[in-house]
Amino acid sequence: MAFLHLVRNRAPVLKRSRVAAAALLGFILTGCGSGESDLPPDQRLQRELGLEPSDRVHEVRLLGGIEGAVDPAEVVVLQGDYLQFVTADSWVHELLFEVDSLAGPALSFMEGLDQLASPPMVSRGSRFVLSFVDAPPGRYPFHVEGGGPVRRGVIVVEPLPER
């Protein structure tokens, strides 16, 4: 079984009505597929989480073992994008945001989601999906524990381009 977990923003003014449906969704699902592409969401995310084909979903792969990795170690997302962490092996992985390194608005945003850490991802293909709808621009450093040495990465949230 693969674990799929989505964190959604609980901001008072929500971008989409489906975001208002739940602040935090956890699903235990069978299968392990994830698309090769980081954009748009694969059919599973569309079906299980109600994402639209126009939603942008970036992907970060988590690898354990002696030469474990976060791939890519830095990912740039726009406000409103989604980011999925996917385990690429059978090691246990846990994602933890680095509270001391988060700027005030970023820390408040992550605390508001009540997700400064992921649940343990225990099987190949487990996913942890974050929504950056209404996220403040900035750097969101994190590290991954389990399955070998600690691995580090950063999410950079950029504002939407002005039209």
Side-chain angles (χ1 to χ4, degrees):
M1 273 202 183
F3 182 82
L4 176 62
H5 184 84
L6 172 69
V7 177
R8 291 197 172 171
N9 189 332
R10 291 187 270 194
V13 178
L14 298 171
K15 182 177 176 186
R16 296 182 179 93
S17 62
R18 70 177 186 280
V19 174
L24 179 64
L25 298 175
F27 296 95
I28 302 295
L29 300 170
T30 57
C32 64
S34 73
E36 294 279 312
S37 173
D38 60 352
L39 306 171
D42 62 27
Q43 289 180 351
R44 184 173 176 200
L45 291 177
Q46 290 178 49
R47 181 181 66 245
E48 299 295 336
L49 302 178
L51 298 184
E52 300 293 328
S54 60
D55 288 325
R56 294 169 36 103
V57 180
H58 303 263
E59 182 174 299
V60 174
R61 294 173 33 104
L62 305 177
L63 302 162
I66 294 172
E67 295 184 26
V70 173
D71 182 31
E74 180 175 310
V75 62
V76 177
V77 301
L78 295 176
Q79 291 171 316
D81 286 355
Y82 294 83
L83 175 64
Q84 69 176 336
F85 292 89
V86 180
T87 59
D89 54 37
S90 297
W91 293 91
V92 175
H93 302 277
E94 184 176 10
L95 178 87
L96 301 147
F97 284 90
E98 297 180 357
V99 176
D100 294 343
S101 298
L102 286 169
L107 177 60
S108 295
F109 175 78
M110 294 306 291
E111 286 177 334
L113 292 174
D114 195 25
Q115 288 297 311
L116 290 170
S118 73
M121 294 179 277
V122 298
S123 62
R124 180 183 302 264
S126 295
R127 300 190 211 193
F128 179 62
V129 183
L130 292 171
S131 167
F132 287 93
V133 173
D134 298 325
R139 297 176 63 81
Y140 293 70
F142 64 89
H143 65 275
V144 178
E145 295 180 355
V150 172
R151 289 139 348 258
R152 298 190 182 286
V154 65
I155 303 162
V156 178
V157 177
E158 295 185 345
L160 289 170
E162 292 190 30
R163 293 179 183 191

